[in-house]
Amino acid sequence: MSEENKLIAERRQKLQKIRDNQSVAFPNQFRRSHHAAKLHTLYDQYDKDTLAEKNIPVKVIGRMMSQRLFGKGGFAVLRDVSGDIQLFVQINGVGEETFEAFKSWDIGDIIAGEGVLFKTKTGELSVNVSNLQLITKSLRPLPEKFHGLSDQETRYRQRYVDLIVNADSAAVFRIRSKLISEMRRFMESRDFLEVETPMMHVIPGGAAAKPFTTHHNALDLKLYLRVAPELFLKRLVVGGFEKVFEINRNFRNEGVSTKHNPEFTMMEFYWAYRDYNDLMDITEEMFIHLAEQVLGTSKINYQGQAIDFSRPFARETMTDLVVRYSPDLCVEKCNNLSLLQEYCEQQGIGYDKKASKGHLIAELFDIYVEDKLIQPTFVTQYPTEISPLSRRSDDNPEFTDRFELFISGHEIANGFSELNDPEDQAERFKQQVAELEAGDDEAMHFDQDYVRALEYGMPPTAGEGIGIDRLVMLFTDSASIRDVLLFPYMKPE
């Protein structure tokens, strides 16, 4: 039997003994008076004599994280959602029976203590306990105190243990919650209406991505988990909701990496009578606001790189960046398909012989540019072929009024002036269907109802999606998307 299994067996024996000796083994009526952090905020400032004079009664409850026994007394560190507080337990304070029981309790047990505050000789705020109760028996031992839960895969699979023993991990998810709350508050303060759209679609659309499929038994209908809410949100713009947003999950049947999870959280928003320049303006304003409200500063550090949200975000075209960072590439080659193909062959870059000029430019961007964009940079003017929902540029119809925001080599947001010409949209859907039939399982399907909605007339509109998981990675200096998802996708054990 392994050492862990021996410990589990011993704890089960203790649990059975408790059940045998008590009619009600674990009480459920204890109510705390304070959280640990609140006690420290209110009373850390007092010296031991002043605290003793005040004789402050408190009730605390949480998980026992450490225990030190000596003679007729002992200390225990209790951890609740806010932090830690120390308990001082004496036989003459809680009684011999309770003290003997306390000596047999284990790290990880959930306990409750009632008593008065005092400070130890070393100045640590503590509770001198007069009433002590075991609330829940922990049957499994926590990871070793000093090393914690260091195995990454175990941390992801057993997030509940990770949150117990790793304070830094718990802090990440508090930041995540605050960031989403601030994002929602930012949008609502600018009169955007929060809405909910379907998670299951008859026709997948809204992004170039491979969907998950499911089946509705009663209707005998094949359905798709949504890859993006875009087409439904724009239907609402057609219906007269001029400023809408949604924070919710998307699902894409693609690989898993440090930047990708099959299900992820995004905020998408749509703004009638605006264009992609307005989106860049509000996004820059939003990110500065989020950094200052969530982190208290507009300057962050991500994986050793200093990121400054207070500086104006750079705005550069995709072609200009490709020319700048690709070795020995000039604008003339980017404007000629055969020269671009010849360049790819010279660089040893494999490509589909049927690929368009726009597809090749995008491929070069992925290879040579993306990881170079450290400071916030709006990459603009995406080729039309890879932007089936974007409005063509008035200056050059080969490109669209679209941007993607990159920070520290990560794509964080994607926005564009929306295509609101139903005939152009229908033609681009047809092109996507042709690519789908040619084997591109990330190409879009033809959504006839969406085209019909456009035929009623959609005002000039700008829309954007922001990847919340990747933004949380930046704000928490997390190297992997799994670090910012409470329950990331994992292969079965």
Side-chain angles (χ1 to χ4, degrees), residues 24 58 66 227 235-236 249 339 356 416 431 440 462 479 482:
V24 179
V58 296
S66 68
V227 295
R235 285 173 169 93
L236 296 180
R249 291 297 183 96
L339 292 178
S356 69
F416 41 82
Q431 181 181 347
D440 184 355
R482 292 184 175 188

Side-chain angles (χ1 to χ4, degrees), residues 368-379:
Y368 291 117
V369 181
E370 187 169 322
D371 63 354
K372 309 293 194 310
L373 304 178
I374 305 304
Q375 295 304 318
T377 302
F378 291 113
V379 180

Side-chain angles (χ1 to χ4, degrees), residues 193-195 233-244 270-272 459 461:
L193 177 70
E194 184 171 12
V195 297
L233 290 171
K234 288 194 285 192
R235 285 173 169 93
L236 296 180
V237 177
V238 171
F241 288 165
E242 296 181 0
K243 301 169 78 171
V244 294
Y270 291 84
W271 195 0
T461 300

Side-chain angles (χ1 to χ4, degrees), residues 4-5 7-8 11-12 63 107-109 137-143 158 160:
E4 182 179 17
N5 286 339
L7 292 173
I8 293 173
R11 293 190 179 201
R12 288 189 183 278
R63 193 178 298 274
I107 305 303
D109 288 350
K137 182 67 188 169
S138 172
L139 297 180
R140 290 184 176 270
L142 295 177
Q158 300 179 26
Y160 40 90

Side-chain angles (χ1 to χ4, degrees), residues 252-265:
R252 297 182 184 177
N253 199 350
E254 55 191 21
V256 177
S257 72
T258 58
K259 297 181 182 180
H260 298 89
N261 195 68
E263 57 176 305
F264 58 96
T265 305

Side-chain angles (χ1 to χ4, degrees), residues 80-100:
D80 63 24
V81 68
S82 69
D84 296 349
I85 188 71
Q86 181 171 260
L87 306 184
F88 178 48
V89 184
Q90 301 180 90
I91 192 170
N92 61 1
V94 298
E96 182 175 353
E97 182 179 351
T98 298
F99 184 73
E100 287 301 314

Side-chain angles (χ1 to χ4, degrees), residues 38-56:
K38 187 67 173 179
L39 291 175
H40 286 293
T41 299
L42 292 174
Y43 302 113
D44 274 350
Q45 59 187 305
Y46 293 112
D47 60 44
K48 59 186 303 184
D49 293 334
T50 303
L51 204 57
E53 290 175 4
K54 288 184 173 292
N55 196 39
I56 300 166

